[in-house]
Amino acid sequence: MRSEVNNMERRTFCALLVLTTTAFVAAPLSADDPDNCLLCHGFRGLGRIDNETQKIHAFYVDPDYSHLRRGPHARLACTDCHKRSEVSVVPHQPVTHVDCARQCHLSNPNGIDRRFSHDPIQSMLADSTHTLDTLAKLDFRGGPILDKDQSACLYCHDEPYFRLPLDVAPQLAAVTQRGIDRCNVCHAETVPIDIEYDLNHVLARLQPSRSPLEIAQTCAVCHSDPKVTAEHDMSDAVASYVRSFHGKATLLGEHQTADCLSCHVKTGENAHLMLGKSDPQSSVFVANIANSCRSTQCHPGADPAFATAAVHLDLPTAHGSIEYALAAIFIFLTIFTFGPSALLVILDLLQIIVGRTHHPSHRIEKLAKDLMASAEGRKRLKRFTISQRFQHWCLSILFVALVLTGFPMKFADRAWASMLVNMFGGLSTARNIHHWSGILLFVGFSFHVFQVVVSSLRTARAPGPDGQPMGLVKAWLSMPMWISPQDVRKTMQLFAHLLFLRKERPTFGRFSPAEKFEYLGVFWGTMLLGLTGMLLWGEQYASHFLTGKTFNLATIAHTFEAFLAVIHVGILHIYNVIFAPKVFPLSPATITGNTPIEKLVEEHSEFVEDAAMHMGKHLKADPTA
Amino acid sequence: MSKLNPLNLPKTIAWFFRGTWRNAERVIPRAYALALAFVICFLTYQAVSYLIVGLLKPSGSPPQITQLPRRMDATLFEVDRRKWRGLDATANPRTPPSHYHRIGDWIEPDHQSGCTTSGCHSPLPHNERKEVRAFLNMHATSIHCGTCHMKSDRAPLSLTWYNLASGDPQGPPAILQAYDLLTSDEYEKQRNSPDDAFQDKLTSLLRKAAREADNLPALENLADHVNAVRATSDEFKQLLIQARESLPRHFRGEYGAKIAVRGVGGDPVLSHPDTEKLVAQYVSQKDTIKGQDRRDLLNRIHPLRRKSPLDCTECHRKQDGLIDFARMGYPPARANALVDPIVVEMIEHINKGTPFHMPDFIGVEK
């Protein structure tokens, strides 16, 4: 199997070698432009603006299209499509619209002429959901798109270009004429074939002739038009597509992601045979969706249950669904966790704005200075150990990497998202960085959990004040980062103080409730993001244990939790460690582990007192405090 | 109020700065805190509203999907009438309903011509006579309006090329120079004993021509290839033949330059002199001014206008043609093609409105 793949890759590679020479080739074997139309139509300015309709009549046709054989129509004469009687005289007769099903005339270099027509393709539409009758009746919000009698093919097709698969192998662009030269040893005269043209044609068909974005744009002409969708009782399918994982990748320029045709066209058939989802033969009929998802190009290893995932999930139109409920819960959680924290910061800034100053206890200040004078005191007042600081910086770097590579997917329709992804060298690279950053973060998280467990075990085994071991549960609950009832009380006191309802500002131990809250947020967030991220990454494997809907829920959880993390860190944490007036331009605690004495005395006086107690240092109570 | 004692001046200044510093110490932290509070409130509002609106309000397909031209109409020009632009279809790849043939970047805007930058005339200004309007517009990308429409009693006309980016006078476009190189006696000499200097010159001209034709890939590739082979090799000789055959295909008026009437001092005449205020007056009144007033104003705006513009055959003819194509830098082969009797005959047909069949001529050197 593997060798087959290699052989195929090799063959494709060889073909691509030849293909990439198209920009610079020997003179084509058959005559370009036999009617000499490009003598005038090759000028970009050939055209006019209609005074009455203000419509531009542009008669320019890119001469390089035929000179450089840029598409399957390059070997056609203009009069194969346009009626000779109308255009062979100058000024031209009024030109009727081109009938795409008209028979045209292909002249091969071997001298054999063939007749060709798109009529069979057009006939296919009769059995599809896009019948000519349906297309003829389309009523667009902005008025008709095509003129009367203009071919309905133009709803989807413009001049076809060879879309060479250079995005798969861009390095092949450097290959020269030699590939074609080798073929032409035989094919120039002995078995004359227009090698360059034929190879272009065949290889361009190895992939869709349009990128996923262009396909979405094409479908959106009708499927995003409010009048068309209302008349046919359809939702805006393209809007929901671009909010899906595939659609976002499409917006970010990914060429290998699923587009509309990947799902809506049955394997072995073509887009002109597309059927509506209610047709049992359709690739998106409920019984067939699993097969469509599990095609060899997409998710071949997935369980059929994977197909229950909603691909066209647009939350605002999914009222009553479990996905909608989960998103609502996350928004509620975001507002009620981020909101109070933000309020605390704003009220804190308000104290500065109104000039309200809080004078910390002179006793604690003196005690802190006293402690800082000795090595042991400095050690005891260090709030963050080397290991904790190291973990924090690792977390910071990985967090930034995850945000930069993950958020473009969330905001794929913004211009900055594409710019960012391009800076990483494309979505595939950005995605790889995201995955590996996630893995590293999870490894770091596991290390931290290991440290917590070891620390809990040590505390559990150590003799307590009564001389007996504390026990695991008690030790675990006594971990310093838990938010205690006392923390809740003090937080309320802090709010009261900041709202001018209380004179004294409460002070805390080594970690303030806000810091504990942030820590627990990171703990929860890393677990949730890690688990949902791995689930989405290994979707084919995970689908054997979970239903498709789980992936929708995982996506929602992943994206909303990430958003919460970003706004919390990006707005509040950055304020606390960089922009807050007491620490600007950067809190030294992140580097040295030490908090400035002023902040220590004001916010962590209990920590100072604990340290003094352990060192046996006490100062008399401050009568002014 | 005590008298100002000069000896106290330093103390006064020091007092002033101390006071100012004390005030600044009080004000700066407050202003900083206020700014921070504002930023945090703004970001919080943005974040929360994004979440809520995103859940409650369907937003439809994004602009990348839907905002594509459905029709090629004049509004595509009208981003800024003072800087007419060409239709950038490459930024809007989905064009079937607007235009079947992919046209890529369309006409190159002329930011120097007063006729279009005034907002009065479009880059495709001719739209009246069916027989000739498209042909005349075809010339508008390489010839300034004044060439045919401004008075001149000199024959041939005194003309100059001007750079579309700067408006400065310049020599012939690079593609004409390259073709001249390839059709001159020097070409035959080079075919027998080519040298590096010739190769460098040709490469440089082709590169410049590609740039002037909006980075035309075919010319860029040709330049790269000419540059890549050794001047003494057979491949180079083959390339010379190929370049000589293919260059005429690119004589399509995309030169990064246009021909205009040469004014005093050699500068191109790109607008009627001293008419800015009148133009502004006309633009502001164009919907209301009528009749004789309108005609009078238009006459004052166009002091150099010919009574009737030049006819095509006045330039496209061998005898006494008003444009000396050779002097304008056209290589002999191209200049001869432009004044070929067949062209004159063709133009006469067009002018008379009599249908004729397109002859197979001048496009590509046969």
Side-chain angles (χ1 to χ4, degrees):
Chain A
M1 180 68 187
R2 180 71 193 156
S3 66
E4 273 179 36
V5 171
N6 283 342
N7 281 339
M8 192 174 170
E9 281 176 354
R10 211 170 292 135
R11 281 198 297 272
T12 309
F13 182 86
C14 291
L16 284 169
L17 287 180
V18 180
L19 249 183
T20 51
T21 63
T22 53
F24 190 81
V25 292
L29 294 174
S30 57
D32 296 332
D33 186 26
D35 301 310
N36 205 21
C37 301
L38 293 174
L39 174 67
C40 299
H41 288 273
F43 281 80
R44 287 182 178 177
L46 190 77
R48 66 185 177 88
I49 299 175
D50 190 304
N51 268 352
E52 285 179 18
T53 63
Q54 288 294 293
K55 185 180 167 188
I56 297 172
H57 295 262
F59 307 127
Y60 166 68
V61 179
D62 184 0
D64 285 345
Y65 183 76
S66 55
H67 291 328
L68 301 179
R69 296 280 197 262
R70 283 198 169 151
H73 289 182
R75 292 195 308 181
L76 296 178
C78 302
T79 46
D80 277 319
C81 299
H82 298 280
K83 287 182 184 167
R84 182 175 287 277
S85 58
E86 292 171 351
V87 298
S88 62
V89 292
V90 182
H92 297 329
Q93 303 293 324
V95 176
T96 50
H97 291 303
V98 168
D99 174 9
C100 298
R102 183 184 166 186
Q103 204 168 50
C104 56
H105 174 249
L106 292 176
S107 61
N108 281 349
N110 55 13
I112 301 170
D113 290 342
R114 286 185 297 148
R115 310 296 292 176
F116 178 85
S117 169
H118 288 296
D119 191 40
I121 303 289
Q122 190 166 291
S123 304
M124 287 178 187
L125 291 176
D127 298 324
S128 78
T129 191
H130 299 127
T131 62
L132 288 176
D133 190 41
T134 307
L135 297 177
K137 288 179 186 163
L138 287 174
D139 187 11
F140 294 90
R141 186 174 61 171
I145 286 180
L146 301 177
D147 289 339
K148 205 180 169 193
D149 303 331
Q150 216 167 354
S151 171
C153 304
L154 300 183
Y155 278 125
C156 303
H157 295 276
D158 56 358
E159 192 162 45
Y161 267 61
F162 291 135
R163 179 173 168 244
L164 304 177
L166 291 179
D167 52 302
V168 180
Q171 70 276 23
L172 300 176
V175 181
T176 64
Q177 176 72 27
R178 289 175 190 279
I180 286 180
D181 287 347
R182 278 195 293 275
C183 302
N184 277 334
V185 171
C186 297
H187 289 287
E189 289 181 9
T190 317
V191 192
I193 292 174
D194 190 341
I195 287 292
E196 170 225 346
Y197 174 84
D198 288 349
L199 279 172
N200 281 352
H201 201 148
V202 171
L203 286 173
R205 300 310 294 168
L206 291 177
Q207 63 176 5
S209 58
R210 295 203 182 125
S211 68
L213 181 63
E214 286 175 321
I215 288 172
Q217 287 169 336
T218 304
C219 298
V221 169
C222 300
H223 289 273
S224 283
D225 187 279
K227 207 167 173 189
V228 173
T229 50
E231 197 163 309
H232 290 80
D233 195 20
M234 300 185 294
S235 60
D236 187 339
V238 182
S240 52
Y241 165 71
V242 294
R243 276 162 188 78
S244 72
F245 194 81
H246 301 135
K248 289 181 173 195
T250 290
L251 288 178
L252 293 172
E254 174 68 43
H255 287 255
Q256 305 297 322
T257 193
D259 55 44
C260 311
L261 304 185
S262 309
C263 302
H264 289 267
V265 175
K266 218 170 182 176
T267 311
E269 293 185 347
N270 70 65
H272 304 90
L273 290 165
M274 196 185 293
L275 297 166
K277 65 179 178 183
S278 57
D279 191 313
Q281 295 299 315
S282 165
S283 58
V284 288
F285 183 66
V286 66
N288 302 334
I289 293 177
N291 284 348
S292 300
C293 296
R294 297 165 73 216
S295 77
T296 47
Q297 290 180 339
C298 301
H299 307 277
D303 190 86
F306 185 59
T308 56
V311 174
H312 285 274
L313 177 64
D314 192 18
L315 283 174
T317 54
H319 298 289
S321 66
I322 189 170
E323 290 92 345
Y324 187 89
L326 184 67
I329 289 168
F330 263 101
I331 291 175
F332 180 84
L333 278 175
T334 303
I335 293 171
F336 286 93
T337 52
F338 177 76
S341 306
L343 187 61
L344 210 59
V345 167
I346 290 163
L347 288 174
D348 208 20
L349 287 167
L350 187 67
Q351 312 302 308
I352 302 172
I353 295 166
V354 300
R356 187 188 187 198
T357 49
H358 169 70
H359 298 289
S361 157
H362 291 302
R363 182 180 70 87
I364 299 293
E365 194 174 352
K366 200 170 174 218
L367 194 59
K369 284 180 180 167
D370 200 19
L371 287 174
M372 291 301 268
S374 68
E376 193 190 344
R378 283 197 295 278
K379 192 178 167 191
R380 285 196 175 275
L381 288 182
K382 201 175 278 285
R383 290 179 62 227
F384 301 102
T385 64
I386 290 178
S387 166
Q388 287 163 345
R389 278 174 271 151
F390 177 72
Q391 288 179 55
H392 172 260
W393 281 111
C394 289
L395 175 65
S396 306
I397 292 164
L398 293 171
F399 181 82
V400 170
L402 285 163
V403 170
L404 292 180
T405 51
F407 261 55
M409 275 294 270
K410 183 163 179 63
F411 296 95
D413 55 347
R414 314 289 164 102
W416 60 261
S418 298
M419 261 170 52
L420 204 56
V421 162
N422 290 338
M423 272 171 57
F424 283 106
L427 190 61
S428 301
T429 316
R431 201 177 276 162
N432 279 336
I433 295 171
H434 193 77
H435 290 160
W436 284 102
S437 301
I439 287 174
L440 288 174
L441 184 64
F442 215 67
V443 168
F445 176 70
S446 305
F447 173 73
H448 183 76
V449 171
F450 175 74
Q451 276 190 322
V452 170
V453 170
V454 169
S455 172
S456 298
L457 285 174
R458 275 192 195 142
T459 312
R461 284 175 193 158
D466 55 356
Q468 296 296 316
M470 195 183 272
L472 194 57
V473 175
K474 218 171 174 181
W476 193 63
L477 288 174
S478 69
M479 297 298 288
M481 297 314 287
W482 284 121
I483 294 176
S484 64
Q486 195 189 8
D487 288 324
V488 176
R489 201 180 66 245
K490 286 198 169 184
T491 305
M492 300 310 291
Q493 288 173 352
L494 181 62
F495 266 113
H497 169 76
L498 295 174
L499 289 167
F500 305 93
L501 301 174
R502 178 189 156 99
K503 191 180 174 191
E504 285 305 314
R505 186 185 176 109
T507 180
F508 312 106
R510 183 177 173 191
F511 302 111
S512 69
E515 288 168 332
K516 291 180 182 181
F517 188 67
E518 275 187 2
Y519 171 84
L520 292 175
V522 173
F523 209 93
W524 147 264
T526 309
M527 280 197 298
L528 184 68
L529 288 166
L531 285 174
T532 52
M534 283 194 286
L535 215 130
L536 293 169
W537 189 9
E539 88 288 352
Q540 296 195 46
Y541 180 74
S543 67
H544 292 284
F545 310 102
L546 302 162
T547 67
K549 231 178 191 4
T550 316
F551 296 98
N552 291 129
L553 297 174
T555 307
I556 291 168
H558 195 82
T559 186
F560 278 93
E561 178 60 30
F563 189 79
L564 171 59
V566 166
I567 59 171
H568 208 108
V569 172
I571 300 175
L572 303 184
H573 189 66
I574 291 293
Y575 163 78
N576 284 326
V577 297
I578 294 178
F579 293 109
K582 285 174 196 161
V583 299
F584 187 81
L586 181 68
S587 170
T590 57
I591 297 169
T592 63
N594 293 323
T595 301
I597 284 186
E598 185 192 348
K599 193 172 162 70
L600 205 59
V601 169
E602 189 176 323
E603 294 179 13
H604 303 281
S605 64
E606 289 176 10
F607 178 51
V608 176
E609 284 186 304
D610 280 351
M613 197 174 74
H614 276 100
M615 290 175 66
K617 294 194 174 190
H618 295 283
L619 287 178
K620 284 178 187 171
D622 185 356
T624 63
Chain B
M1 192 175 170
S2 61
K3 284 181 184 174
L4 186 64
N5 183 351
L7 294 175
N8 283 341
L9 194 60
K11 282 184 183 172
T12 310
I13 292 171
W15 169 83
F16 174 76
F17 279 110
R18 267 203 306 277
T20 308
W21 178 244
R22 268 200 303 275
N23 284 333
E25 271 186 324
R26 272 204 306 274
V27 172
I28 289 173
R30 289 178 186 202
Y32 178 72
L34 187 66
L36 272 181
F38 175 78
V39 170
I40 290 171
C41 286
F42 175 75
L43 292 176
T44 303
Y45 169 75
Q46 290 286 323
V48 173
S49 61
Y50 164 76
L51 286 174
I52 293 172
V53 171
L55 185 67
L56 298 180
K57 192 179 163 194
S59 50
S61 295
Q64 297 98 310
I65 298 290
T66 54
Q67 285 184 6
L68 301 169
R70 299 292 181 93
R71 279 280 178 199
M72 281 181 64
D73 57 37
T75 55
L76 291 171
F77 283 129
E78 291 182 355
V79 170
D80 178 358
R81 283 179 69 94
R82 291 194 65 80
K83 287 187 177 178
W84 290 103
R85 67 179 176 94
L87 169 64
D88 183 6
T90 49
N92 305 301
R94 177 71 197 1
T95 60
S98 56
H99 196 62
Y100 174 76
H101 293 287
R102 297 198 193 185
I103 55 177
D105 291 321
W106 200 24
I107 55 175
E108 193 171 7
D110 180 355
H111 300 312
Q112 312 302 329
S113 169
C115 311
T116 51
T117 56
S118 62
C120 297
H121 300 280
S122 91
L124 300 177
H126 306 96
N127 53 22
E128 288 186 358
R129 280 185 63 206
K130 179 182 186 299
E131 296 80 14
V132 291
R133 59 196 177 193
F135 287 112
L136 295 175
N137 287 332
M138 182 176 98
H139 289 75
T141 58
S142 57
I143 296 179
H144 182 263
C145 312
T147 312
C148 302
H149 289 275
M150 284 180 179
K151 290 174 194 167
S152 174
D153 46 10
R154 298 182 65 171
L157 300 172
S158 173
L159 301 172
T160 178
W161 287 95
Y162 72 94
N163 189 291
L164 282 182
S166 65
D168 296 333
Q170 67 162 58
I175 193 166
L176 296 182
Q177 293 184 48
Y179 191 57
D180 193 22
L181 204 62
L182 291 168
T183 49
S184 62
D185 296 340
E186 180 70 9
Y187 168 75
E188 292 303 330
K189 189 181 140 198
Q190 288 296 324
R191 283 195 64 195
N192 297 324
S193 56
D195 63 51
D196 290 344
F198 179 84
Q199 183 186 24
D200 291 345
K201 190 174 176 188
L202 184 60
T203 306
S204 153
L205 285 172
L206 289 173
R207 290 230 161 98
K208 194 171 173 211
R211 276 200 306 277
E212 288 172 347
D214 208 6
N215 298 319
L216 194 69
L219 287 177
E220 279 176 354
N221 290 329
L222 186 61
D224 288 344
H225 220 82
V226 167
N227 187 49
V229 299
R230 292 176 66 182
T232 51
S233 63
D234 287 343
E235 285 84 353
F236 185 69
K237 288 177 188 170
Q238 285 295 322
L239 278 169
L240 289 182
I241 296 169
Q242 192 179 331
R244 186 178 154 120
E245 284 176 353
S246 63
L247 273 192
R249 282 185 198 145
H250 305 295
F251 294 145
R252 307 200 298 247
E254 298 155 34
Y255 305 141
K258 277 186 178 180
I259 292 173
V261 172
R262 185 186 170 93
V264 181
D267 284 340
V269 182
L270 302 179
S271 57
H272 293 275
D274 307 323
T275 54
E276 289 85 357
K277 282 183 184 168
L278 292 170
V279 169
Q281 184 190 337
Y282 174 76
V283 168
S284 66
Q285 299 175 353
K286 68 178 177 180
D287 295 329
T288 53
I289 191 166
K290 308 278 181 202
Q292 190 58 41
D293 290 344
R294 181 186 174 92
R295 281 193 290 277
D296 288 344
L297 182 56
L298 287 175
N299 282 336
R300 287 160 64 204
I301 286 174
H302 299 101
L304 301 180
R305 183 168 57 180
R306 281 178 185 272
K307 204 166 185 181
S308 56
L310 290 182
D311 190 65
C312 312
T313 49
E314 290 181 78
C315 301
H316 285 287
R317 67 180 178 203
K318 255 195 177 118
Q319 293 296 317
D320 305 325
L322 284 181
I323 296 181
D324 184 343
F325 290 106
R327 191 188 290 176
M328 295 308 295
Y330 284 85
R334 180 66 181 163
N336 288 336
L338 289 171
V339 295
D340 193 295
I342 301 175
V343 177
V344 180
E345 196 181 323
M346 190 174 81
I347 291 167
E348 280 169 354
H349 277 298
I350 292 171
N351 273 332
K352 287 176 193 164
T354 51
F356 69 99
H357 290 265
M358 181 59 74
D360 180 12
F361 71 129
I362 62 174
V364 178
E365 190 183 2
K366 302 293 178 185

